[in-house]
PDB file of all heavy atoms in Angstrom:
ATOM      1  N   GLY A  45       4.798 -26.063   3.387  1.00 75.00           N
ATOM      2  CA  GLY A  45       4.195 -26.458   2.121  1.00 75.00           C
ATOM      3  C   GLY A  45       4.312 -25.371   1.078  1.00 75.00           C
ATOM      4  O   GLY A  45       4.963 -24.343   1.262  1.00 75.00           O
ATOM      5  N   GLY A  46       3.649 -25.607  -0.078  1.00 71.00           N
ATOM      6  CA  GLY A  46       3.706 -24.666  -1.184  1.00 71.00           C
ATOM      7  C   GLY A  46       2.319 -24.366  -1.715  1.00 71.00           C
ATOM      8  O   GLY A  46       1.317 -24.632  -1.058  1.00 71.00           O
ATOM      9  N   LEU A  47       2.267 -23.807  -2.925  1.00 69.00           N
ATOM     10  CA  LEU A  47       0.991 -23.470  -3.540  1.00 69.00           C
ATOM     11  C   LEU A  47       0.247 -24.723  -3.974  1.00 69.00           C
ATOM     12  O   LEU A  47       0.854 -25.740  -4.268  1.00 69.00           O
ATOM     13  CB  LEU A  47       1.219 -22.569  -4.755  1.00 69.00           C
ATOM     14  CG  LEU A  47       1.921 -21.235  -4.529  1.00 69.00           C
ATOM     15  CD1 LEU A  47       2.040 -20.485  -5.850  1.00 69.00           C
ATOM     16  CD2 LEU A  47       1.179 -20.385  -3.509  1.00 69.00           C
ATOM     17  N   GLY A  48      -1.069 -24.632  -4.019  1.00 68.00           N
ATOM     18  CA  GLY A  48      -1.863 -25.704  -4.588  1.00 68.00           C
ATOM     19  C   GLY A  48      -2.795 -26.395  -3.623  1.00 68.00           C
ATOM     20  O   GLY A  48      -3.701 -27.119  -4.048  1.00 68.00           O
ATOM     21  N   GLY A  49      -2.613 -26.208  -2.336  1.00 73.00           N
ATOM     22  CA  GLY A  49      -3.506 -26.837  -1.377  1.00 73.00           C
ATOM     23  C   GLY A  49      -4.798 -26.049  -1.223  1.00 73.00           C
ATOM     24  O   GLY A  49      -4.981 -24.977  -1.793  1.00 73.00           O
ATOM     25  N   PHE A  50      -5.699 -26.591  -0.388  1.00 81.00           N
ATOM     26  CA  PHE A  50      -6.969 -25.892  -0.128  1.00 81.00           C
ATOM     27  C   PHE A  50      -6.782 -24.755   0.873  1.00 81.00           C
ATOM     28  O   PHE A  50      -7.633 -23.886   1.000  1.00 81.00           O
ATOM     29  CB  PHE A  50      -8.016 -26.882   0.387  1.00 81.00           C
ATOM     30  CG  PHE A  50      -8.532 -27.795  -0.683  1.00 81.00           C
ATOM     31  CD1 PHE A  50      -8.050 -29.093  -0.778  1.00 81.00           C
ATOM     32  CD2 PHE A  50      -9.471 -27.366  -1.601  1.00 81.00           C
ATOM     33  CE1 PHE A  50      -8.516 -29.947  -1.766  1.00 81.00           C
ATOM     34  CE2 PHE A  50      -9.941 -28.207  -2.593  1.00 81.00           C
ATOM     35  CZ  PHE A  50      -9.458 -29.504  -2.686  1.00 81.00           C
ATOM     36  N   GLY A  51      -5.673 -24.784   1.564  1.00 82.00           N
ATOM     37  CA  GLY A  51      -5.332 -23.721   2.498  1.00 82.00           C
ATOM     38  C   GLY A  51      -3.826 -23.641   2.630  1.00 82.00           C
ATOM     39  O   GLY A  51      -3.099 -24.503   2.138  1.00 82.00           O
ATOM     40  N   ALA A  52      -3.360 -22.604   3.281  1.00 83.00           N
ATOM     41  CA  ALA A  52      -1.920 -22.397   3.465  1.00 83.00           C
ATOM     42  C   ALA A  52      -1.602 -22.457   4.955  1.00 83.00           C
ATOM     43  O   ALA A  52      -2.328 -21.897   5.780  1.00 83.00           O
ATOM     44  CB  ALA A  52      -1.503 -21.056   2.879  1.00 83.00           C
ATOM     45  N   LEU A  53      -0.517 -23.151   5.286  1.00 89.00           N
ATOM     46  CA  LEU A  53      -0.130 -23.350   6.680  1.00 89.00           C
ATOM     47  C   LEU A  53       1.071 -22.482   7.030  1.00 89.00           C
ATOM     48  O   LEU A  53       1.958 -22.258   6.210  1.00 89.00           O
ATOM     49  CB  LEU A  53       0.226 -24.820   6.927  1.00 89.00           C
ATOM     50  CG  LEU A  53      -0.813 -25.860   6.517  1.00 89.00           C
ATOM     51  CD1 LEU A  53      -0.309 -27.258   6.817  1.00 89.00           C
ATOM     52  CD2 LEU A  53      -2.136 -25.608   7.228  1.00 89.00           C
ATOM     53  N   PHE A  54       1.094 -22.039   8.303  1.00 92.00           N
ATOM     54  CA  PHE A  54       2.227 -21.247   8.775  1.00 92.00           C
ATOM     55  C   PHE A  54       2.470 -21.594  10.228  1.00 92.00           C
ATOM     56  O   PHE A  54       1.546 -21.616  11.044  1.00 92.00           O
ATOM     57  CB  PHE A  54       1.943 -19.748   8.623  1.00 92.00           C
ATOM     58  CG  PHE A  54       3.150 -18.888   8.816  1.00 92.00           C
ATOM     59  CD1 PHE A  54       3.934 -18.526   7.726  1.00 92.00           C
ATOM     60  CD2 PHE A  54       3.535 -18.454  10.077  1.00 92.00           C
ATOM     61  CE1 PHE A  54       5.066 -17.748   7.887  1.00 92.00           C
ATOM     62  CE2 PHE A  54       4.660 -17.669  10.254  1.00 92.00           C
ATOM     63  CZ  PHE A  54       5.423 -17.319   9.150  1.00 92.00           C
ATOM     64  N   ASP A  55       3.726 -21.854  10.580  1.00 94.00           N
ATOM     65  CA  ASP A  55       4.129 -22.277  11.917  1.00 94.00           C
ATOM     66  C   ASP A  55       4.724 -21.083  12.666  1.00 94.00           C
ATOM     67  O   ASP A  55       5.852 -20.665  12.389  1.00 94.00           O
ATOM     68  CB  ASP A  55       5.156 -23.410  11.795  1.00 94.00           C
ATOM     69  CG  ASP A  55       5.549 -23.989  13.140  1.00 94.00           C
ATOM     70  OD1 ASP A  55       5.295 -23.345  14.179  1.00 94.00           O
ATOM     71  OD2 ASP A  55       6.127 -25.094  13.155  1.00 94.00           O
ATOM     72  N   LEU A  56       3.961 -20.510  13.601  1.00 95.00           N
ATOM     73  CA  LEU A  56       4.425 -19.331  14.334  1.00 95.00           C
ATOM     74  C   LEU A  56       5.621 -19.636  15.220  1.00 95.00           C
ATOM     75  O   LEU A  56       6.511 -18.801  15.388  1.00 95.00           O
ATOM     76  CB  LEU A  56       3.282 -18.772  15.185  1.00 95.00           C
ATOM     77  CG  LEU A  56       2.210 -17.988  14.421  1.00 95.00           C
ATOM     78  CD1 LEU A  56       0.991 -17.770  15.294  1.00 95.00           C
ATOM     79  CD2 LEU A  56       2.763 -16.653  13.963  1.00 95.00           C
ATOM     80  N   LYS A  57       5.664 -20.839  15.776  1.00 95.00           N
ATOM     81  CA  LYS A  57       6.802 -21.202  16.623  1.00 95.00           C
ATOM     82  C   LYS A  57       8.082 -21.248  15.803  1.00 95.00           C
ATOM     83  O   LYS A  57       9.136 -20.760  16.234  1.00 95.00           O
ATOM     84  CB  LYS A  57       6.545 -22.538  17.301  1.00 95.00           C
ATOM     85  CG  LYS A  57       7.591 -22.903  18.346  1.00 95.00           C
ATOM     86  CD  LYS A  57       7.197 -24.159  19.108  1.00 95.00           C
ATOM     87  CE  LYS A  57       8.219 -24.481  20.197  1.00 95.00           C
ATOM     88  NZ  LYS A  57       7.850 -25.706  20.956  1.00 95.00           N
ATOM     89  N   ALA A  58       7.983 -21.812  14.597  1.00 95.00           N
ATOM     90  CA  ALA A  58       9.155 -21.873  13.730  1.00 95.00           C
ATOM     91  C   ALA A  58       9.597 -20.484  13.295  1.00 95.00           C
ATOM     92  O   ALA A  58      10.764 -20.272  12.957  1.00 95.00           O
ATOM     93  CB  ALA A  58       8.863 -22.732  12.505  1.00 95.00           C
ATOM     94  N   ALA A  59       8.674 -19.524  13.303  1.00 95.00           N
ATOM     95  CA  ALA A  59       9.006 -18.136  12.947  1.00 95.00           C
ATOM     96  C   ALA A  59       9.649 -17.387  14.107  1.00 95.00           C
ATOM     97  O   ALA A  59      10.051 -16.231  13.946  1.00 95.00           O
ATOM     98  CB  ALA A  59       7.759 -17.397  12.479  1.00 95.00           C
ATOM     99  N   GLY A  60       9.743 -18.045  15.275  1.00 95.00           N
ATOM    100  CA  GLY A  60      10.465 -17.451  16.393  1.00 95.00           C
ATOM    101  C   GLY A  60       9.614 -16.806  17.454  1.00 95.00           C
ATOM    102  O   GLY A  60      10.140 -16.107  18.331  1.00 95.00           O
ATOM    103  N   TYR A  61       8.292 -17.030  17.442  1.00 96.00           N
ATOM    104  CA  TYR A  61       7.402 -16.401  18.413  1.00 96.00           C
ATOM    105  C   TYR A  61       7.078 -17.333  19.570  1.00 96.00           C
ATOM    106  O   TYR A  61       6.844 -18.527  19.374  1.00 96.00           O
ATOM    107  CB  TYR A  61       6.119 -15.931  17.721  1.00 96.00           C
ATOM    108  CG  TYR A  61       6.353 -14.735  16.845  1.00 96.00           C
ATOM    109  CD1 TYR A  61       6.712 -14.890  15.511  1.00 96.00           C
ATOM    110  CD2 TYR A  61       6.263 -13.445  17.351  1.00 96.00           C
ATOM    111  CE1 TYR A  61       6.962 -13.784  14.699  1.00 96.00           C
ATOM    112  CE2 TYR A  61       6.507 -12.335  16.554  1.00 96.00           C
ATOM    113  CZ  TYR A  61       6.857 -12.515  15.230  1.00 96.00           C
ATOM    114  OH  TYR A  61       7.114 -11.422  14.446  1.00 96.00           O
ATOM    115  N   ASN A  62       7.057 -16.764  20.784  1.00 96.00           N
ATOM    116  CA  ASN A  62       6.752 -17.532  21.988  1.00 96.00           C
ATOM    117  C   ASN A  62       5.302 -17.374  22.419  1.00 96.00           C
ATOM    118  O   ASN A  62       4.625 -18.354  22.704  1.00 96.00           O
ATOM    119  CB  ASN A  62       7.682 -17.100  23.137  1.00 96.00           C
ATOM    120  CG  ASN A  62       9.139 -17.395  22.828  1.00 96.00           C
ATOM    121  OD1 ASN A  62       9.469 -18.504  22.419  1.00 96.00           O
ATOM    122  ND2 ASN A  62       9.997 -16.401  23.026  1.00 96.00           N
ATOM    123  N   ASP A  63       4.839 -16.138  22.478  1.00 97.00           N
ATOM    124  CA  ASP A  63       3.463 -15.856  22.914  1.00 97.00           C
ATOM    125  C   ASP A  63       2.866 -14.832  21.948  1.00 97.00           C
ATOM    126  O   ASP A  63       2.682 -13.663  22.294  1.00 97.00           O
ATOM    127  CB  ASP A  63       3.474 -15.324  24.349  1.00 97.00           C
ATOM    128  CG  ASP A  63       2.083 -15.167  24.937  1.00 97.00           C
ATOM    129  OD1 ASP A  63       1.121 -15.707  24.345  1.00 97.00           O
ATOM    130  OD2 ASP A  63       1.947 -14.494  25.976  1.00 97.00           O
ATOM    131  N   PRO A  64       2.592 -15.251  20.709  1.00 97.00           N
ATOM    132  CA  PRO A  64       2.248 -14.280  19.666  1.00 97.00           C
ATOM    133  C   PRO A  64       0.800 -13.813  19.687  1.00 97.00           C
ATOM    134  O   PRO A  64      -0.110 -14.547  20.074  1.00 97.00           O
ATOM    135  CB  PRO A  64       2.531 -15.055  18.377  1.00 97.00           C
ATOM    136  CG  PRO A  64       2.268 -16.485  18.748  1.00 97.00           C
ATOM    137  CD  PRO A  64       2.703 -16.620  20.188  1.00 97.00           C
ATOM    138  N   ILE A  65       0.628 -12.588  19.253  1.00 97.00           N
ATOM    139  CA  ILE A  65      -0.675 -12.023  18.915  1.00 97.00           C
ATOM    140  C   ILE A  65      -0.688 -11.835  17.404  1.00 97.00           C
ATOM    141  O   ILE A  65       0.242 -11.261  16.837  1.00 97.00           O
ATOM    142  CB  ILE A  65      -0.903 -10.663  19.600  1.00 97.00           C
ATOM    143  CG1 ILE A  65      -0.849 -10.815  21.125  1.00 97.00           C
ATOM    144  CG2 ILE A  65      -2.216 -10.042  19.142  1.00 97.00           C
ATOM    145  CD1 ILE A  65      -1.965 -11.651  21.701  1.00 97.00           C
ATOM    146  N   LEU A  66      -1.726 -12.321  16.746  1.00 97.00           N
ATOM    147  CA  LEU A  66      -1.842 -12.159  15.301  1.00 97.00           C
ATOM    148  C   LEU A  66      -2.499 -10.827  14.962  1.00 97.00           C
ATOM    149  O   LEU A  66      -3.398 -10.364  15.669  1.00 97.00           O
ATOM    150  CB  LEU A  66      -2.663 -13.296  14.696  1.00 97.00           C
ATOM    151  CG  LEU A  66      -2.037 -14.682  14.722  1.00 97.00           C
ATOM    152  CD1 LEU A  66      -2.992 -15.704  14.099  1.00 97.00           C
ATOM    153  CD2 LEU A  66      -0.716 -14.701  13.979  1.00 97.00           C
ATOM    154  N   VAL A  67      -2.059 -10.242  13.876  1.00 97.00           N
ATOM    155  CA  VAL A  67      -2.614  -8.986  13.376  1.00 97.00           C
ATOM    156  C   VAL A  67      -2.890  -9.177  11.889  1.00 97.00           C
ATOM    157  O   VAL A  67      -2.045  -9.715  11.163  1.00 97.00           O
ATOM    158  CB  VAL A  67      -1.631  -7.809  13.562  1.00 97.00           C
ATOM    159  CG1 VAL A  67      -2.273  -6.500  13.127  1.00 97.00           C
ATOM    160  CG2 VAL A  67      -1.158  -7.728  15.001  1.00 97.00           C
ATOM    161  N   ALA A  68      -4.062  -8.780  11.422  1.00 97.00           N
ATOM    162  CA  ALA A  68      -4.434  -8.981  10.021  1.00 97.00           C
ATOM    163  C   ALA A  68      -4.819  -7.658   9.380  1.00 97.00           C
ATOM    164  O   ALA A  68      -5.332  -6.753  10.046  1.00 97.00           O
ATOM    165  CB  ALA A  68      -5.599  -9.962   9.911  1.00 97.00           C
ATOM    166  N   ALA A  69      -4.561  -7.550   8.089  1.00 97.00           N
ATOM    167  CA  ALA A  69      -4.921  -6.344   7.333  1.00 97.00           C
ATOM    168  C   ALA A  69      -5.306  -6.740   5.917  1.00 97.00           C
ATOM    169  O   ALA A  69      -4.760  -7.697   5.358  1.00 97.00           O
ATOM    170  CB  ALA A  69      -3.757  -5.358   7.297  1.00 97.00           C
ATOM    171  N   THR A  70      -6.249  -6.030   5.361  1.00 97.00           N
ATOM    172  CA  THR A  70      -6.638  -6.253   3.969  1.00 97.00           C
ATOM    173  C   THR A  70      -6.828  -4.910   3.279  1.00 97.00           C
ATOM    174  O   THR A  70      -7.205  -3.913   3.911  1.00 97.00           O
ATOM    175  CB  THR A  70      -7.939  -7.083   3.880  1.00 97.00           C
ATOM    176  OG1 THR A  70      -8.257  -7.351   2.512  1.00 97.00           O
ATOM    177  CG2 THR A  70      -9.110  -6.354   4.516  1.00 97.00           C
ATOM    178  N   ASP A  71      -6.532  -4.879   1.978  1.00 97.00           N
ATOM    179  CA  ASP A  71      -6.669  -3.626   1.233  1.00 97.00           C
ATOM    180  C   ASP A  71      -6.631  -3.932  -0.255  1.00 97.00           C
ATOM    181  O   ASP A  71      -6.444  -5.093  -0.662  1.00 97.00           O
ATOM    182  CB  ASP A  71      -5.547  -2.658   1.605  1.00 97.00           C
ATOM    183  CG  ASP A  71      -5.979  -1.188   1.538  1.00 97.00           C
ATOM    184  OD1 ASP A  71      -6.892  -0.879   0.742  1.00 97.00           O
ATOM    185  OD2 ASP A  71      -5.399  -0.372   2.265  1.00 97.00           O
ATOM    186  N   GLY A  72      -6.815  -2.896  -1.041  1.00 96.00           N
ATOM    187  CA  GLY A  72      -6.698  -2.994  -2.491  1.00 96.00           C
ATOM    188  C   GLY A  72      -5.802  -1.881  -2.990  1.00 96.00           C
ATOM    189  O   GLY A  72      -5.059  -1.276  -2.223  1.00 96.00           O
ATOM    190  N   VAL A  73      -5.895  -1.588  -4.276  1.00 96.00           N
ATOM    191  CA  VAL A  73      -5.071  -0.545  -4.878  1.00 96.00           C
ATOM    192  C   VAL A  73      -5.917   0.628  -5.340  1.00 96.00           C
ATOM    193  O   VAL A  73      -5.405   1.678  -5.697  1.00 96.00           O
ATOM    194  CB  VAL A  73      -4.250  -1.129  -6.050  1.00 96.00           C
ATOM    195  CG1 VAL A  73      -3.290  -0.107  -6.625  1.00 96.00           C
ATOM    196  CG2 VAL A  73      -3.467  -2.362  -5.600  1.00 96.00           C
ATOM    197  N   GLY A  74      -7.235   0.469  -5.328  1.00 94.00           N
ATOM    198  CA  GLY A  74      -8.113   1.544  -5.752  1.00 94.00           C
ATOM    199  C   GLY A  74      -8.030   1.798  -7.256  1.00 94.00           C
ATOM    200  O   GLY A  74      -7.630   0.935  -8.032  1.00 94.00           O
ATOM    201  N   THR A  75      -8.385   3.012  -7.656  1.00 96.00           N
ATOM    202  CA  THR A  75      -8.479   3.309  -9.079  1.00 96.00           C
ATOM    203  C   THR A  75      -7.127   3.572  -9.733  1.00 96.00           C
ATOM    204  O   THR A  75      -7.071   3.893 -10.919  1.00 96.00           O
ATOM    205  CB  THR A  75      -9.428   4.495  -9.341  1.00 96.00           C
ATOM    206  OG1 THR A  75      -8.954   5.638  -8.652  1.00 96.00           O
ATOM    207  CG2 THR A  75     -10.833   4.156  -8.877  1.00 96.00           C
ATOM    208  N   LYS A  76      -6.042   3.420  -8.993  1.00 98.00           N
ATOM    209  CA  LYS A  76      -4.720   3.378  -9.626  1.00 98.00           C
ATOM    210  C   LYS A  76      -4.665   2.221 -10.622  1.00 98.00           C
ATOM    211  O   LYS A  76      -3.917   2.263 -11.607  1.00 98.00           O
ATOM    212  CB  LYS A  76      -3.633   3.217  -8.568  1.00 98.00           C
ATOM    213  CG  LYS A  76      -2.204   3.372  -9.086  1.00 98.00           C
ATOM    214  CD  LYS A  76      -1.195   3.349  -7.942  1.00 98.00           C
ATOM    215  CE  LYS A  76       0.214   3.636  -8.416  1.00 98.00           C
ATOM    216  NZ  LYS A  76       1.184   3.685  -7.291  1.00 98.00           N
ATOM    217  N   LEU A  77      -5.474   1.184 -10.361  1.00 97.00           N
ATOM    218  CA  LEU A  77      -5.570   0.060 -11.302  1.00 97.00           C
ATOM    219  C   LEU A  77      -5.975   0.529 -12.690  1.00 97.00           C
ATOM    220  O   LEU A  77      -5.548  -0.050 -13.692  1.00 97.00           O
ATOM    221  CB  LEU A  77      -6.608  -0.958 -10.806  1.00 97.00           C
ATOM    222  CG  LEU A  77      -6.225  -1.892  -9.663  1.00 97.00           C
ATOM    223  CD1 LEU A  77      -7.413  -2.773  -9.318  1.00 97.00           C
ATOM    224  CD2 LEU A  77      -5.027  -2.740 -10.034  1.00 97.00           C
ATOM    225  N   ARG A  78      -6.819   1.558 -12.753  1.00 97.00           N
ATOM    226  CA  ARG A  78      -7.302   2.029 -14.050  1.00 97.00           C
ATOM    227  C   ARG A  78      -6.134   2.517 -14.914  1.00 97.00           C
ATOM    228  O   ARG A  78      -6.107   2.264 -16.131  1.00 97.00           O
ATOM    229  CB  ARG A  78      -8.301   3.160 -13.836  1.00 97.00           C
ATOM    230  CG  ARG A  78      -9.001   3.686 -15.074  1.00 97.00           C
ATOM    231  CD  ARG A  78     -10.047   2.714 -15.579  1.00 97.00           C
ATOM    232  NE  ARG A  78      -9.582   1.877 -16.654  1.00 97.00           N
ATOM    233  CZ  ARG A  78     -10.144   0.720 -16.988  1.00 97.00           C
ATOM    234  NH1 ARG A  78     -11.182   0.244 -16.313  1.00 97.00           N
ATOM    235  NH2 ARG A  78      -9.671   0.004 -17.982  1.00 97.00           N
ATOM    236  N   ILE A  79      -5.175   3.193 -14.294  1.00 98.00           N
ATOM    237  CA  ILE A  79      -4.020   3.673 -15.049  1.00 98.00           C
ATOM    238  C   ILE A  79      -3.167   2.496 -15.497  1.00 98.00           C
ATOM    239  O   ILE A  79      -2.683   2.460 -16.639  1.00 98.00           O
ATOM    240  CB  ILE A  79      -3.190   4.657 -14.205  1.00 98.00           C
ATOM    241  CG1 ILE A  79      -4.073   5.806 -13.698  1.00 98.00           C
ATOM    242  CG2 ILE A  79      -2.024   5.205 -15.024  1.00 98.00           C
ATOM    243  CD1 ILE A  79      -3.345   6.779 -12.789  1.00 98.00           C
ATOM    244  N   ALA A  80      -2.970   1.527 -14.614  1.00 98.00           N
ATOM    245  CA  ALA A  80      -2.186   0.338 -14.967  1.00 98.00           C
ATOM    246  C   ALA A  80      -2.826  -0.407 -16.134  1.00 98.00           C
ATOM    247  O   ALA A  80      -2.139  -0.839 -17.065  1.00 98.00           O
ATOM    248  CB  ALA A  80      -2.044  -0.580 -13.762  1.00 98.00           C
TER     249      ALA A  80
END
Side-chain angles (χ1 to χ4, degrees):
L47 301 181
F50 287 101
L53 307 180
F54 192 92
D55 185 343
L56 284 167
K57 188 173 183 180
Y61 288 89
N62 297 311
D63 187 14
I65 300 294
L66 292 179
V67 184
T70 183
D71 212 332
V73 185
T75 59
K76 189 174 186 177
L77 283 178
R78 185 74 262 159
I79 305 177

